[in-house]
Amino acid sequence: MKGLLKKDHILLRDYFFLFVMLDITISVMNGGMLLLSRRDTCVRDVGRLAVTSYILVTFVQSLINQTFNDDEKSGFLANVFTQPVTRSEYVKEKYILALQLTGIFAGIHTAGIIIGLILRTEPLTSDAMLLLAEIYILSLAGALSLSFNSISMFMKFGAGKKGIGVRVIVLLPMVITYLIWALNVTRDNAEFHIALPAIVTLLSFALSLFLFPMSFKWAERREV
Amino acid sequence: MEALEIKNVTKKYNNFTLDNVSFSVPQGSIMGLIGENGAGKSTLIKAVLDLVNKDSGEVDIYGKKHDRKAKEIREDVGVVFDSLHYHENLNPSQISQISALTYKNWDEKAFTNYLSAFKLNEKSKIKTMSKGMKMKLGIAIALSHKAKLLILDEPTAGLDPVARDELLDIFLDFMQDETHSILISSHITTDLEKVADYITFIHEGKVLLSKPKDELLYDYRIVRCGESDFVELKEEEGAVWRKHDYQYEVLLPTGKMLESKYTSCEMERPTIDEIMLMYIKGERS
């Protein structure tokens, strides 16, 4: 399994550094936004972080998808199952990679927010703090659930057109929800506006937990 | 001891069935797996490697059952497909780093030596390599984790005669250790004539024959004759024939013993290609 992680680390290196640079840029912008926002507009400013948090979600998922596409198109999937690596270990490695990537991107994201909060001369309102926490938890849960769902879908449907289609279907509700949220489409209904992303993300997270054991079974049955 | 034992392996697809295939590869020998395109060679190799779900049958490697959980056995097996199944952006040096974390017995020094012997640059990306170089890299990987059994699926396909000859030399070199064995599939039968000890011929998913190569080359005879001789020859055990415009061509598995019986007929030793062709295109009683 260590060999598989090493392989993915090497192959993702270029994309990873690009995404890290983007994440650092976003993190600096977030920190700056928190640092400069006025007390009367801070809730609205924090709300804008939703858009950047959504980017974190897509970073992880796109990198995980990249490894699957590479594995299948290069024929590595057939190769790896002739090596002393069990199919369970292959699946586990992808989950570990998803956790690693989420941890790194979320860490960079958090650093910007914390620095912004520390440097602020006046504290955020409790509403803004709550919203910030909600955004943060949802984007983490969103990043994990989408990459976990991608892993399950790949094990079942592969990286071909069918697999891509299914992954898009799983991703779509999250994308639409985040867009609705970020564009304030539902702002007239305050409760619904806050509850919608939470419900969709938690449903996606629940789905990923449900699919987690299935992904191992599907990997065992998969023909390559 | 058998290095590889395939017992009643069956795999059914909608339009093809690998049907109850059984044969074994004795330790210290090279088994050539032949058959036309679509005969089931690659499917059989996938079934042996457990890459597809077998409908029935078992595969033993060095006496141990090989299935998806048997990762220890795979330490002893080196696999080379018809193309190098690694990401094109990797280079040999990176593959070595990855393999060192995958195989317990990975020998980095041996790998470097193979790279030098095969004139491969350890920093060149796979995508810059020719087909022959990729195959050599695949073999270097398979040999550097101290595999005892090599399973090779069409390793010489698409290579020029020089590169093919070099690969065959590598296989013969590998066989210097008597505990080593090779299962090699190929439709280039001349390659197998050079290196194989045994030949298994697979046709439409079934094993038609599995015999020592020398038996095929020295005991089999091919006879070209007219109608009168043909009537008698076709009754011989295992005879297979083809009718041409002016003559019959008859393959006799027991031909060597029949030479004295049919003195008027000209009997020749067949090539593996001719044997394969007769079994595929010929008629049997």
Side-chain angles (χ1 to χ4, degrees):
Chain A
M1 195 163 65
K2 284 179 188 168
L4 293 174
L5 269 173
K6 179 82 181 169
K7 185 265 302 173
D8 281 339
H9 289 167
I10 291 171
L11 288 168
L12 289 179
R13 199 179 287 161
D14 293 344
Y15 301 102
F16 177 75
F17 284 127
L18 176 72
F19 284 169
V20 163
M21 292 313 291
L22 277 170
D23 204 28
I24 289 171
T25 310
I26 291 163
S27 185
V28 169
M29 284 164 60
N30 283 344
M33 197 193 298
L34 283 173
L35 178 65
L36 300 172
S37 70
R38 297 198 311 271
R39 195 171 170 79
D40 59 327
T41 62
C42 62
V43 171
R44 192 192 63 202
D45 292 339
V46 166
R48 284 181 181 144
L49 288 176
V51 182
T52 58
S53 300
Y54 160 70
I55 293 170
L56 161 75
V57 172
T58 56
F59 280 174
V60 180
Q61 207 221 7
S62 60
L63 286 174
I64 293 291
N65 285 344
Q66 184 65 38
T67 68
F68 286 132
N69 290 339
D70 285 347
D71 285 356
E72 194 157 289
K73 282 177 187 160
S74 66
F76 182 76
L77 202 57
N79 189 7
V80 74
F81 294 146
T82 69
Q83 296 176 4
V85 174
T86 62
R87 292 176 178 226
S88 292
E89 285 173 340
Y90 177 79
V91 184
K92 264 186 224 165
E93 184 269 335
K94 295 296 181 197
Y95 282 116
I96 290 170
L97 184 69
L99 286 171
Q100 284 180 342
L101 293 171
T102 308
I104 292 166
F105 290 129
I108 295 169
H109 221 66
T110 316
I113 291 169
I114 289 175
I115 291 168
L117 287 174
I118 289 170
L119 296 178
R120 268 182 75 88
T121 47
E122 55 178 342
L124 283 182
T125 61
S126 57
D127 282 357
M129 282 300 281
L130 263 176
L131 189 57
L132 186 63
E134 187 189 346
I135 291 166
Y136 200 68
I137 290 166
L138 288 183
S139 50
L140 265 180
L144 280 177
S145 69
L146 281 184
S147 49
F148 279 21
N149 285 338
S150 273
I151 294 167
S152 308
M153 294 300 110
F154 174 79
M155 293 307 157
K156 177 70 177 167
F157 299 105
K161 281 181 188 169
K162 199 175 174 184
I164 293 168
V166 173
R167 276 180 277 160
V168 168
I169 290 167
V170 172
L171 177 72
L172 218 51
M174 293 272 283
V175 175
I176 292 168
T177 307
Y178 273 101
L179 285 175
I180 288 172
W181 198 34
L183 297 172
N184 279 332
V185 175
T186 52
R187 70 182 155 195
D188 292 340
N189 187 339
E191 282 179 8
F192 183 68
H193 183 63
I194 291 172
L196 177 70
I199 291 167
V200 173
T201 308
L202 290 176
L203 280 176
S204 177
F205 197 71
L207 179 68
S208 66
L209 291 179
F210 172 72
L211 294 175
F212 179 78
M214 313 279 274
S215 62
F216 289 91
K217 283 183 189 164
W218 286 332
E220 285 298 329
R221 292 294 303 163
R222 178 113 191 245
E223 298 199 331
V224 287
Chain B
M1 188 186 185
E2 307 296 351
L4 173 67
E5 202 170 357
I6 298 164
K7 294 182 271 191
N8 310 110
V9 168
T10 298
K11 169 71 187 166
K12 289 177 185 162
Y13 292 103
N14 289 339
N15 51 1
F16 175 77
T17 301
L18 189 67
D19 194 3
N20 207 26
V21 170
S22 298
F23 67 89
S24 55
V25 182
Q27 188 172 314
S29 67
I30 299 180
M31 168 67 81
L33 185 62
I34 60 168
E36 76 272 32
N37 291 331
K41 302 187 295 292
S42 293
T43 305
L44 175 61
I45 285 181
K46 282 185 175 181
V48 167
L49 296 169
D50 217 14
L51 296 176
V52 294
N53 303 318
K54 294 187 283 290
D55 291 298
S56 61
E58 272 185 20
V59 174
D60 288 356
I61 294 176
Y62 289 104
K64 291 176 190 163
K65 190 181 171 192
H66 179 246
D67 59 23
R68 281 174 197 178
K69 308 228 182 293
K71 68 181 219 179
E72 294 301 319
I73 298 173
R74 293 204 283 269
E75 292 278 355
D76 292 333
V77 182
V79 181
V80 180
F81 293 102
D82 57 348
S83 61
L84 185 65
H85 286 357
Y86 275 93
H87 304 76
E88 295 265 287
N89 283 330
L90 291 174
N91 64 39
S93 169
Q94 289 167 331
I95 289 175
S96 179
Q97 291 171 34
I98 294 163
S99 302
L101 294 167
T102 306
Y103 291 100
K104 282 181 192 163
N105 296 325
W106 181 256
D107 187 341
E108 199 173 335
K109 201 176 167 193
F111 183 66
T112 310
N113 289 340
Y114 280 120
L115 292 183
S116 315
F118 300 159
K119 298 183 178 68
L120 297 172
N121 185 334
E122 63 176 359
K123 295 292 176 195
S124 295
K125 285 187 176 180
I126 292 170
K127 64 182 171 191
T128 65
M129 294 180 182
S130 67
K131 164 106 183 164
M133 289 160 92
K134 285 180 189 172
M135 294 315 294
K136 283 178 185 170
L137 177 58
I139 288 161
I141 297 164
L143 298 180
S144 299
H145 64 84
K146 300 195 171 76
K148 290 196 282 182
L149 171 66
L150 288 186
I151 297 179
L152 313 163
D153 188 10
E154 302 276 3
T156 54
L159 296 182
D160 62 63
V162 178
R164 271 169 39 210
D165 200 56
E166 282 173 4
L167 282 195
L168 297 179
D169 282 343
I170 295 164
F171 300 151
L172 291 174
D173 211 35
F174 172 76
M175 292 305 294
Q176 295 301 310
D177 186 327
E178 288 176 0
T179 63
H180 288 176
S181 317
I182 297 178
L183 170 66
I184 174 171
S185 89
S186 179
H187 58 262
I188 306 172
T189 54
T190 49
D191 289 346
L192 298 181
E193 274 179 37
K194 286 180 194 164
V195 297
D197 301 302
Y198 296 86
I199 297 288
T200 293
F201 176 25
I202 188 163
H203 177 56
E204 292 176 347
K206 290 180 182 165
V207 171
L208 281 190
L209 61 86
S210 187
K211 290 184 173 181
K213 179 189 73 181
D214 289 347
E215 197 176 307
L216 289 175
L217 295 181
Y218 299 115
D219 291 356
Y220 278 55
R221 291 291 183 272
I222 202 156
V223 189
R224 287 169 190 90
C225 60
E227 179 88 39
S228 56
D229 289 324
F230 169 70
V231 173
E232 217 176 322
L233 280 164
K234 75 172 197 177
E235 299 304 323
E236 295 294 345
E237 189 190 340
V240 183
W241 63 87
R242 286 179 77 190
K243 187 180 186 310
H244 295 288
D245 287 346
Y246 302 105
Q247 63 175 6
Y248 286 88
E249 204 174 26
V250 186
L251 179 75
L252 300 167
T254 53
K256 190 183 176 188
M257 290 190 295
L258 297 170
E259 277 177 334
S260 53
K261 185 177 170 186
Y262 296 98
T263 48
S264 62
C265 299
E266 196 183 324
M267 290 194 176
E268 289 173 12
R269 284 178 180 172
T271 61
I272 293 175
D273 244 353
E274 286 172 320
I275 295 172
M276 196 167 101
L277 207 61
M278 287 297 285
Y279 274 114
I280 294 169
K281 300 251 181 182
E283 294 171 57
R284 271 160 278 188
S285 54

